[in-house]
Amino acid sequence: MTESSRRIVIEPVTRVEGHGKVTILLDERHRVREARLHIVEFRGFERFVQGRPYWEVPVLVQRLCGICPVSHHLAASKAMDLIAGVERLTPTAEKIRRLMHMGQIFQSHALHFFHLASPDLLFGFDADPAVRNVLGVAQKHPELARQGVLMRKYGQEVIRATGGKRVHAIVAVPGGVNKSLSAAERDALLADVERMTDWAEAAVGVARDYTLDNLEQIADFGSFTSSHLGLVRADGALELYDGLLRAVDETGQVIFDRLENDRYAEVLAEEVRSWSYMKFPFIRSLGPERGWYRVGPLARLNVCERITTPRAEAARRAFFAALGDPPCQVTMAYHWARMIEVLHAVEAIHELLLDPDITGDELLRSGTRREEAVGVIEAPRGTLFHHYRVDENDQVTMANLIVSTTSNNEPMNRAVRQVAEQHLSGRDRITEGLLNHVEVAIRAYDPCLSCATHALGQMPLAVELRDADGRLLDRRTRG
Amino acid sequence: MAGKHTRPRVATCSLAGCFGCHMSLLDIDERIFELAELVEFARSPIVDKKRFDRRVDIGLIEGGCCNEENVATLREFRRHCEILVSIGDCATAGGVPALRNDIPLAECLAEAYVGGPTVHNPGGRIPDDPELPLLLDKVYPAHEVVRIDYFLPGCPPSAEALWQTLVALLEGRPLELPYELIKYD
Ligand code: SF4
């Protein structure tokens, strides 16, 4: 580091509280030399789960993340179904799990969009931070804020009715579920589902209008070309619970297609870098330099050919009609894609609630014990991989997890760097609004690590400018 | 608590937790707008205040301590909060992250960054950059680091339990939760 170089640290509250932070190094001419998103959190799950009985894992592992615990609960359960020798669940068990999963997609996306991203979209990236939070939204757009809170509530109620609890469900067990819906629970959820569908469609409109009205400003914002990865059905349709792996490159060419879940390690690897506890996944055939990819709502729209529910499919067509053929590379279009999935989730919830199997009583199957299995699911933030080996004493001997946010590690780092180069380079004063640009780019990916921290506001920040000797030159904090 | 300033102040943080306790707080649903009227949020993800600029009436702690930063944050909370409440099993007992306490830390790191079917780490180097805070040998519950005034069990405590706790503390009433709200899961 030269004497006059500067180091900028953006510390979301997640960092202070142990999750992530951004550092930006500027050279003597205030150009960005390096920009990094560090994940400072380490748990050790892969090791401490060893020795635990395999049926315990679905309830244990969701404690990794209280924001999308259902995804971990179900990905682990899918692996443990296979460990228990069960290839196909009973129709009731599979549908209860799908319903819970759709409730999770619905609530998590609603939380992300309304509580977290909407202040940036409604008020602008540079708006006064005093109003640029959800309480500001509640004042200026009270109806929108109320709908956001009630949509999240509805998704959480779907999870509670299926899973027994809103956070950390207790329903999935190897080979099935331990409870289905009662008619009363089903009817209570049905009573609100149409209103939720209308609100979801309106939310698609908000996201679409925002994207199209600001396209010039956001087209390049934190954007770059990348590969995309997600699950699809055998017929190529969007699939969130149980699909096959497909990846496309930056031109839309298929890299691998309809790959069975248990072959994931043949195509994916994760690079370790010394400055982050989060690894950097890549597609093996392309290598660590070129093989990184994106996951999540935008990636899923880019890899699928259609959506099975009608209103979401119409919204998907409108998306590509407006933004051009897939793959769409506009990072800020994640928000629009996310709302299309919200609409799909609530349509799917409606279908499942009308299905007689949902109140059925055949819950469990059994089979011949196996040693090794992989469970893959589309969590709200992207493809989630759980891989376990279990010995003859029913104890776990190996666990490997690639969580959704990990796959977006390289993309988030690129977005941070790109936005820093565009907006911070060459300036000697870094304003609060400029810093928020960096966060807006991270926020598009809805990383688990920070989505909760601005659950009801924006990501808090502290920025320090230091010289090469570590002396504090300047400091900004928000709030 | 009344009289010192207009609205009581509440601060919250997530240390070595999963954010599930914060999610449970959000599960008070529409009452979140009511809560925003009742209290002023200071130093919380709920608003964007990062620093304590004044004393705070109630601090809620999610998660125990797994690294040096957790310890620093927790001590900062103790210095600034009149009442400190451990919420959830991680803060009160270490929770799931504390399952690593019986295992040498080096083994946990090796498993994640050297072994593993998808790890690509030719140099075998484990993340060690100075930007990363030092990990503690074990995960410690909050009360082993600072004095804690109240303990609310559950994983997470329900939204109702959190709401009733907050309201009782805000009104200066003794904290008496009905039996059904006290869960240890
Ligand atoms: S107590 Fe449970 S819900 Fe709360 S942080 Fe710990 S694991 Fe998450």
Side-chain angles (χ1 to χ4, degrees):
Chain A
M1 203 186 293
T2 63
E3 253 183 43
S4 51
S5 70
R6 302 191 306 171
R7 174 173 168 276
I8 302 175
V9 187
I10 302 183
E11 303 177 86
V13 95
T14 42
R15 182 265 174 178
V16 174
E17 286 150 14
H19 298 252
K21 71 173 167 189
V22 173
T23 56
I24 300 168
L25 273 181
L26 303 180
D27 68 13
E28 61 281 4
R29 292 164 65 190
H30 304 297
R31 286 172 314 203
V32 174
R33 180 194 296 180
E34 185 184 275
R36 287 171 169 174
L37 168 66
H38 309 261
I39 302 306
V40 300
E41 184 79 14
F42 174 75
R43 288 267 188 269
F45 174 85
E46 294 89 342
R47 177 62 187 81
F48 69 61
V49 74
Q50 294 176 11
R52 314 295 307 187
Y54 75 90
W55 54 81
E56 199 184 85
V57 174
V59 288
L60 191 87
V61 68
Q62 59 188 341
R63 266 83 187 175
L64 284 173
C65 173
I67 301 159
C68 57
V70 169
S71 313
H72 287 291
H73 185 55
L74 291 180
S77 296
K78 286 179 69 179
M80 295 316 176
D81 294 338
L82 296 169
I83 292 286
V86 178
E87 290 265 357
R88 286 204 75 77
L89 301 183
T90 69
T92 295
E94 175 168 338
K95 285 168 190 174
I96 285 290
R97 288 199 194 171
R98 279 182 183 272
L99 179 58
M100 180 164 69
H101 188 47
M102 291 300 144
Q104 159 86 351
I105 297 272
F106 191 73
Q107 73 87 11
S108 175
H109 280 359
L111 172 81
H112 178 257
F113 184 71
F114 290 100
H115 297 67
L116 175 156
S118 76
D120 295 323
L121 310 190
L122 295 168
F123 301 136
F125 306 172
D126 293 308
D128 178 2
V131 299
R132 201 182 56 214
N133 59 53
V134 75
L135 299 176
V137 177
Q139 281 188 347
K140 275 200 85 176
H141 307 271
E143 184 52 26
L144 197 68
R146 196 178 68 92
Q147 284 178 14
V149 167
L150 292 180
M151 283 169 74
R152 176 177 183 277
K153 177 183 182 180
Y154 184 77
Q156 288 290 75
E157 281 300 295
V158 171
I159 295 170
R160 194 183 57 78
T162 47
K165 284 167 73 194
R166 278 178 163 208
V167 179
H168 299 329
I170 43 175
V171 65
V173 289
V177 294
N178 56 26
K179 165 188 179 300
S180 63
L181 279 196
S182 69
E185 286 166 331
R186 178 199 59 201
D187 294 343
L189 293 174
L190 271 175
D192 275 333
V193 76
E194 277 166 21
R195 190 162 53 124
M196 291 301 147
T197 312
D198 291 341
W199 287 358
E201 197 148 41
V204 174
V206 173
R208 178 199 57 217
D209 292 350
Y210 167 76
T211 311
L212 296 181
D213 292 349
N214 298 281
L215 197 53
E216 215 170 298
Q217 184 203 348
I218 61 179
D220 296 331
F221 185 81
S223 291
F224 36 74
T225 58
S226 76
S227 303
H228 298 267
L229 178 133
L231 292 178
V232 292
R233 290 189 187 190
D235 66 1
L238 176 78
E239 172 58 50
L240 300 173
Y241 176 72
D242 193 19
L244 303 165
L245 289 162
R246 175 185 280 176
V248 299
D249 70 11
E250 61 250 18
T251 64
Q253 290 292 316
V254 165
I255 305 171
F256 50 79
D257 196 9
R258 286 168 251 232
L259 194 77
E260 294 290 344
N261 291 182
D262 58 4
R263 296 181 56 196
Y264 84 106
E266 292 171 27
V267 291
L268 298 180
E270 304 167 277
E271 192 185 358
V272 177
R273 297 187 196 161
S274 64
W275 45 270
S276 183
Y277 281 126
M278 193 151 81
K279 287 173 267 194
F280 292 80
F282 62 92
I283 294 167
R284 285 188 196 265
S285 62
L286 300 177
E289 283 295 312
R290 282 191 54 233
W292 55 280
Y293 56 89
R294 294 195 255 190
V295 298
L298 182 68
R300 288 190 287 248
L301 286 198
N302 279 333
V303 300
C304 80
E305 288 150 43
R306 63 190 180 88
I307 300 179
T308 51
T309 56
R311 286 159 88 167
E313 170 61 6
R316 186 193 71 87
R317 285 168 186 267
F319 178 93
F320 287 111
L323 298 177
D325 287 342
C328 169
Q329 305 283 10
V330 178
T331 295
M332 290 300 285
Y334 261 95
H335 295 297
W336 186 359
R338 191 170 287 120
M339 288 305 99
I340 294 172
E341 289 191 340
V342 157
L343 183 56
H344 170 62
V346 72
E347 286 184 292
I349 288 170
H350 199 166
E351 280 175 9
L352 286 161
L353 288 173
L354 294 176
D355 191 317
D357 286 336
I358 211 75
T359 50
D361 51 14
E362 262 190 77
L363 305 181
L364 264 181
R365 284 194 175 136
S366 58
T368 314
R369 263 289 320 275
R370 280 191 224 168
E371 264 183 12
E372 184 166 358
V374 175
V376 183
I377 197 167
E378 284 294 335
R381 292 154 192 82
T383 321
L384 168 66
F385 300 83
H386 279 224
H387 178 189
Y388 301 99
R389 274 202 281 274
V390 179
D391 68 12
E392 68 280 5
N393 299 319
D394 291 348
Q395 288 173 307
V396 174
T397 57
M398 190 283 295
N400 189 42
L401 266 58
I402 306 178
V403 303
S404 322
T405 298
T406 306
S407 287
N408 281 331
N409 198 0
E410 181 66 22
M412 288 191 295
N413 270 281
R414 297 225 168 202
V416 164
R417 188 182 171 98
Q418 208 249 34
V419 172
E421 277 170 358
Q422 260 177 15
H423 297 275
L424 309 188
S425 254
R427 296 176 190 256
D428 44 11
R429 282 213 51 213
I430 308 291
T431 64
E432 193 277 341
L434 287 172
L435 291 173
N436 191 49
H437 282 64
V438 175
E439 291 172 275
V440 168
I442 299 173
R443 223 169 268 155
Y445 293 92
D446 183 15
C448 270
L449 62 117
S450 67
C451 110
T453 67
H454 33 151
L456 266 182
Q458 66 189 104
M459 194 188 287
L461 272 180
V463 179
E464 295 178 354
L465 305 186
R466 290 177 185 274
D467 67 11
D469 305 324
R471 258 176 310 144
L472 196 65
L473 299 177
D474 190 13
R475 174 179 185 85
R476 285 194 71 88
T477 54
R478 267 199 192 143
Chain B
M1 201 172 296
K4 278 182 294 174
H5 37 70
T6 44
R7 278 184 298 168
R9 295 199 187 90
V10 174
T12 75
C13 69
S14 172
L15 306 175
C18 76
F19 276 113
C21 289
H22 272 82
M23 291 298 107
S24 199
L25 182 60
L26 276 188
D27 279 337
I28 62 175
D29 300 328
E30 305 92 296
R31 284 178 291 182
I32 197 76
F33 297 120
E34 208 179 308
L35 187 63
E37 301 273 304
L38 272 178
V39 304
E40 186 185 319
F41 281 102
R43 180 66 173 82
S44 165
I46 293 185
V47 290
D48 26 339
K49 291 211 177 117
K50 176 191 175 305
R51 302 265 142 203
F52 288 102
D53 46 3
R54 286 168 294 183
R55 278 196 80 72
V56 161
D57 300 285
I58 301 170
L60 304 179
I61 307 294
E62 171 194 299
C65 292
C66 75
N67 64 31
E68 56 178 359
E69 271 178 13
N70 294 154
V71 172
T73 306
L74 183 55
R75 292 204 170 121
E76 201 195 349
F77 262 72
R78 182 67 275 178
R79 273 201 305 280
H80 289 89
C81 299
E82 298 295 337
I83 298 173
L84 211 48
V85 189
S86 272
I87 57 170
D89 294 349
C90 295
T92 57
V96 166
L99 286 178
R100 82 156 156 92
N101 286 2
D102 291 336
I103 302 161
L105 184 54
E107 274 185 37
C108 294
L109 289 163
E111 190 70 28
Y113 301 106
V114 184
T118 49
V119 169
H120 172 81
N121 188 2
R125 183 162 168 201
I126 284 168
D128 59 355
D129 195 89
E131 296 291 355
L132 303 175
L134 275 184
L135 296 168
L136 304 179
D137 62 333
K138 288 185 171 27
V139 177
Y140 296 90
H143 64 271
E144 289 190 16
V145 178
V146 299
R147 179 174 56 80
I148 295 289
D149 302 299
Y150 293 93
F151 299 83
L152 191 57
C155 181
S158 66
E160 195 55 38
L162 286 163
W163 174 256
Q164 291 203 17
T165 300
L166 264 178
V167 171
L169 292 175
L170 288 170
E171 292 175 352
R173 283 192 279 114
L175 187 50
E176 280 165 15
L177 290 180
Y179 178 73
E180 318 80 73
L181 288 187
I182 301 178
K183 296 222 165 84
Y184 297 85
D185 61 343

